[in-house]
Amino acid sequence: MDRTQGQVDPAEPSSGPARVVTLTAGDFTLTVNPVDGSEIEPLRPGAERARPRRRDAAGRAARDASARPPVLPGAPASARLTPAREEERARLVRLLSHGRSVRLTGPSGSGRSGLLDAVAADCAGVAPDGVVRLSGYGQQQPGELLHALYAAVYEAPDERPLRPDREELLARVREIGAVVLLDDLEMGGAALDELLRATPECAYLLAATPDTKAPSDASHLEEVFLGGLGRAESVEFLEAGVGRALTEEETAWAGDLRFASEGLPLRFVQAAALLRQRDELNGTRGGDEDEEPGVFEERPRDAAFVPLPTLAEGAAPAELLASRVSESARAVLRIACALGGELPHHAHLPALVGDTHADAAVAELLGCGLLTPVGTRYRLASGVARQLEEVGYGDPAAEEARTAARHYAWWTGHASVTPERVAAEADAVLAALAGADVVAAVLLARTAAPAFAASLHWEAWERVLRSGAEAARKAGEVAEQAYFHHELGVLALCEGRLERARAELEASIGLKGALADKRGTVAGRRALALVTDREAAGAAAVSPPLRLAPPVGGAVAVAAPLAAPGAVAALGPAVPVAAPGTTGPTVPVALAAPVGPRASEAVTAVVPARRDAPANLAEVFAEPFPMSLKPSPAPALAPPVAARPVAGSRKRTVLLAAAGALTVAALGTVVALAVGSGEEKTPAGPGPKVSSTTPDVPAAGTDAAGEPGGNDSAGDPADPAGAGTGAGSDAGAVTEAEPGATPGEGAVAPTPGASRGPGAKPSGGGTPSRKPPVVPPKTSPVASPPTTSTSPSSSPSAGVTPTTTPTPTTSASASTVTGTGT
């Protein structure tokens, strides 16, 4: 760097967070800028995306080395497998060699990871792409596992990192043929089925605990269960860990420990560590009983005899083991408890603990069985964190997490640290972020997020962004909150989640507008424009444009006659259309199909509305109640529809039509003729009595009290529509015509000399009488509209003679008649 002119040499890394990385994510070019936020733009037209290439033998060897935990200084050699594990090892290798996928189930501490290491060595040359080691710890969805498998087999081009979209990812992983060893599996069911379907050429060895969700029946996985060690195997395993033969007392203690721990190998690794520490404290290890301890040795000169641990201490040995390790190792345990069991890389421990030799403490803890390898890192073994927190190792958790967060904030933001190194430390960084205060959390998330984005570890990127946005909201950092929302929107856009991208980007634009950040607002609006374009492209691909088609001939087409059955099917579906002249009943009418619609367009037929329909009730009932007494002409009926007769269809049509304007018109005509006629006609004989099933309703010419009212009810203020009692109650009784009677005759005439008192019952309406069966015509089985008995008038003659009058019907082929009698 030339400090006099202030210019930066490109070859020299800067110390500030100015690391800008450009990568390809699907159809987008993503520029990760730690200062101003990421910028996204579509790939330029004509630009070819770099194609990944498969790793060669040297690349696979480097990949396998990077997938294992780091080699620790002075780490003890791993214990050999017992004879029982050797049999299971041979079985697993045989199944994987035949292309079968296996689910290895065993409790925590049963030795699943050690068995996977042995199987990996035997299956090195089985598949063309070799053996791929993956860790499923914390993975609940198959997406990130597929990306990890893709990155393990394919090598990204040198000029630009590449993260494929989902379509390209599925196409690439389908071609992978490898033996995949997936340790610490945490998913099952449909998610596991999706992983297996996406990689049909891979043979999986899935290591999981019994409480993991079981796979579905369609997965076709072989099940292998790891049990505990037997009595002889546990003694042999314990002697291999201690490095000497056990005494009779120790052998009995090992038998009791096997019964209490169900023979888990982890408990015997810890028990071997307890026996080694006991030998060192008793001065019986290595044949140095007569030698005096040195000045710098921690062993006291006059050491008391240490007995065997109790059975409870052997079943939960974390407290006893931690009390006998070095102070640096105990400080490392406190940091691991503060980070939720995650252990930082041993290169960070001297800065976190304050001891230059703290990196050697990891090997000491691993030899005691307090740590276990998980993927490319170490964490506390199963049950150790709970046992240590009970004795006070978790008390300084807040201070330790704050220290770790500030350390990682400096380390992840340094330009000399590559994004791949940050991604390898992702779990410890996320644990420090979760336990730190809001100020340290905002600082750590701000520096770690660009590194996770550049390393293509996007699940950790999203988790850091969400934690940072929440911490910035609590701390009141509006600018940082706008940055996190912008990054979340860009991430959602790259993954195709358009609704989430729009919400995050709009929130970021609003916050940047409040801060008057013009540059950030422009970047956010550019990303939002890409979201709008993708939404428009998706809507056009999913739903075709809607085209309105006018009806053929300008009107609704009527169904073809019944003689041509194919014509009805060609016209299209039937649509209920109101009959002309009515407002209630509907007639199914088929719409004509449009001529030549496109196959990809939705066609909607337009039915024109009737312009001559009445607007209100006054217009409906204006015609049925004319001022003149002459008969009104018969109303126009709907044209007959040549459709297939349905049982009861004519009956329903006549009943609905009688309740409408046609019945009102007929009632008005009958009432007008009855009032205006002065002729009397005596019946030739007693007529048959006809029962009425409807309640007594006053006649159209009388009021509610039975007084004659004529046609004045049409102008009654209480009935503004002019309905009276005739339109809404079906009160018009239609009588049967006598032979020889003229159409103008047939009015009901009073009989002289038959007066009734005020309390007398009206004839024909008080008591229902039996009606003789009437045989309807064979051509029109239509029921008559409901009838109402005539109310008695206030005149002295109240006798009613059975008279008839013709009744208009709504059917052109049939008519019905009804009668009323006393």
Side-chain angles (χ1 to χ4, degrees):
M1 177 187 298
D2 189 358
R3 302 187 183 278
T4 57
Q5 299 180 2
Q7 298 179 356
V8 179
D9 186 4
E12 181 180 357
S14 60
S15 59
R19 178 177 49 210
V20 177
V21 178
T22 302
L23 54 92
T24 302
D27 297 334
F28 297 104
T29 298
L30 180 62
T31 303
V32 181
N33 189 349
V35 179
D36 300 323
S38 301
E39 297 182 2
I40 184 172
E41 59 181 358
L43 289 176
R44 297 181 180 180
E48 295 183 0
R49 288 190 297 178
R51 299 179 61 86
R53 57 182 180 272
R54 290 179 180 266
R55 297 180 184 271
D56 51 6
R60 288 198 295 268
R63 174 200 66 192
D64 297 339
S66 63
R68 300 298 300 143
V71 179
L72 301 175
S78 59
R80 62 182 180 88
L81 296 177
T82 60
R85 295 293 188 259
E86 290 291 346
E87 296 177 1
E88 293 165 347
R89 170 185 179 179
R91 180 186 177 188
L92 292 176
V93 172
R94 183 175 64 255
L95 290 174
L96 293 174
S97 301
H98 288 81
R100 304 297 299 273
S101 295
V102 188
R103 187 173 187 261
L104 182 64
T105 306
S108 299
S110 59
R112 292 177 286 112
S113 300
L115 186 57
L116 259 63
D117 294 339
V119 171
D122 296 339
C123 296
V126 172
D129 291 321
V131 179
V132 179
R133 297 290 300 264
L134 298 178
S135 176
Y137 182 79
Q139 303 286 346
Q140 300 292 338
Q141 298 299 328
E144 285 300 318
L145 288 177
L146 290 176
H147 278 287
L149 179 61
Y150 170 85
V153 176
Y154 291 96
E155 195 172 10
D158 299 334
E159 59 271 10
R160 179 178 296 180
L162 174 64
R163 182 180 173 92
D165 54 6
R166 182 169 180 79
E167 289 75 13
E168 184 179 358
L169 174 66
L170 295 178
R172 294 291 182 183
V173 299
R174 185 173 292 274
E175 303 173 355
I176 296 177
V179 175
V180 182
L181 306 182
L182 183 56
D183 199 2
D184 299 309
L185 180 70
E186 293 186 0
M187 64 181 181
L192 183 58
D193 292 344
E194 182 180 352
L195 176 65
L196 297 178
R197 284 195 305 266
T199 54
E201 302 297 329
C202 293
Y204 282 89
L205 178 55
L206 309 171
T209 55
D211 55 350
T212 305
K213 186 177 181 180
S216 63
D217 297 336
S219 59
H220 303 292
L221 291 175
E222 296 284 344
E223 289 285 346
V224 176
F225 184 80
L226 282 183
L229 301 177
R231 183 178 182 85
E233 295 171 350
S234 60
V235 172
E236 182 183 357
F237 191 86
L238 190 58
E239 289 178 347
V242 176
R244 61 176 177 83
L246 300 181
T247 63
E248 294 182 0
E249 183 182 6
E250 293 172 344
T251 302
W253 178 75
D256 296 339
L257 180 62
R258 173 191 169 275
F259 179 78
S261 62
E262 298 181 355
L264 293 180
L266 177 63
R267 295 292 178 262
F268 287 94
V269 172
Q270 297 170 348
L274 288 176
L275 293 181
R276 290 197 306 267
Q277 291 176 349
R278 175 174 175 267
D279 292 345
E280 293 177 358
L281 293 176
N282 290 334
T284 60
R285 184 172 181 82
D288 54 351
E289 295 86 351
D290 299 333
E291 297 181 1
E292 289 291 332
V295 179
F296 299 100
E297 293 184 11
E298 297 181 359
R299 182 163 58 93
R301 292 180 179 271
D302 298 330
F305 179 76
V306 178
L308 278 174
T310 62
L311 188 60
E313 292 174 342
E319 178 184 359
L320 184 58
L321 288 172
S323 64
R324 295 175 178 178
V325 297
S326 61
E327 182 60 33
S328 298
R330 287 194 289 270
V332 171
L333 290 177
R334 282 191 288 268
I335 293 177
C337 290
L339 298 182
E342 297 292 340
L343 186 67
H345 192 273
H346 62 273
H348 298 277
L349 294 179
L352 294 174
V353 174
D355 187 358
T356 56
H357 301 285
D359 54 347
V362 180
E364 182 182 359
L365 296 175
L366 186 62
C368 294
L370 297 178
L371 299 180
T372 181
V374 177
T376 59
R377 63 194 187 279
Y378 295 100
R379 61 174 288 114
L380 294 181
S382 175
V384 173
R386 177 181 54 82
Q387 299 173 26
L388 293 178
E389 289 174 357
E390 291 177 355
V391 295
Y393 276 81
D395 295 342
E399 184 63 29
E400 297 289 349
R402 185 183 303 109
T403 302
R406 294 185 179 276
H407 168 76
Y408 279 125
W410 165 82
W411 181 71
T412 57
H414 202 277
S416 62
V417 180
T418 61
E420 288 74 19
R421 293 179 60 189
V422 178
E425 202 73 8
D427 293 282
V429 172
L430 292 172
L433 182 64
D437 59 287
V438 292
V439 177
V442 170
L443 182 61
L444 175 57
R446 188 68 170 79
T447 56
F452 286 135
S455 65
L456 303 181
H457 194 353
W458 282 8
E459 183 180 3
W461 185 24
E462 183 175 4
R463 293 176 61 184
V464 164
L465 291 176
R466 295 195 181 281
S467 300
E470 181 66 17
R473 184 187 64 82
K474 294 180 179 179
E477 298 287 343
V478 181
E480 303 299 335
Q481 191 176 358
Y483 167 81
F484 291 129
H485 282 295
H486 175 81
E487 296 295 298
L488 284 172
V490 171
L491 172 61
L493 177 57
C494 292
E495 293 181 345
R497 299 176 293 167
L498 300 181
E499 295 183 0
R500 170 62 62 181
R502 175 175 291 276
E504 298 290 350
L505 289 174
E506 287 178 352
S508 174
I509 291 172
L511 294 174
K512 290 180 179 179
L515 296 172
D517 184 2
K518 296 182 179 180
R519 183 173 181 178
T521 303
V522 170
R525 292 193 180 278
R526 287 178 179 175
L528 190 59
L530 291 178
V531 174
T532 304
D533 293 344
R534 285 302 177 98
E535 289 177 344
V542 172
S543 58
L546 185 65
R547 182 172 63 87
L548 296 178
V552 178
V556 180
V558 183
L562 191 60
V568 179
L571 289 175
V575 178
V577 180
T582 62
T583 58
T586 58
V587 181
V589 177
L591 296 178
V595 180
R598 297 181 181 178
S600 62
E601 295 183 350
V603 180
T604 302
V606 179
V607 180
R610 295 183 65 247
R611 299 300 182 186
D612 55 346
N616 49 35
L617 292 177
E619 296 183 10
V620 173
F621 296 106
E623 182 65 21
F625 293 94
M627 297 303 297
S628 61
L629 298 180
K630 63 180 180 178
S632 59
L637 301 179
V641 178
R644 185 179 298 275
V646 184
S649 61
R650 293 184 177 181
K651 178 179 179 179
R652 288 194 300 268
T653 304
V654 174
L655 290 176
L656 293 175
L662 298 180
T663 305
V664 175
L667 178 62
T669 304
V670 173
V671 173
L673 292 176
V675 174
S677 176
E679 300 179 0
E680 298 180 1
K681 193 172 184 65
T682 303
K689 294 183 180 181
V690 181
S691 63
S692 175
T693 58
T694 59
D696 296 337
V697 181
T702 61
D703 54 8
E707 299 297 334
N711 288 339
D712 295 338
S713 61
D716 190 359
D719 191 4
T725 59
S729 59
D730 295 343
V734 183
T735 58
E736 186 175 355
E738 289 184 358
T742 60
E745 300 174 352
V748 179
T751 303
S755 62
R756 293 179 181 269
K761 271 188 177 182
S763 61
T767 304
S769 59
R770 299 186 58 85
K771 176 180 179 181
V774 180
V775 180
K778 296 182 178 180
T779 57
S780 59
V782 182
S784 62
T787 59
T788 308
S789 60
T790 307
S791 302
S793 61
S794 59
S795 60
S797 300
V800 180
T801 57
T803 58
T804 59
T805 183
T807 304
T809 63
T810 58
S811 174
S813 60
S815 61
T816 58
V817 290
T818 59
T820 60
T822 58

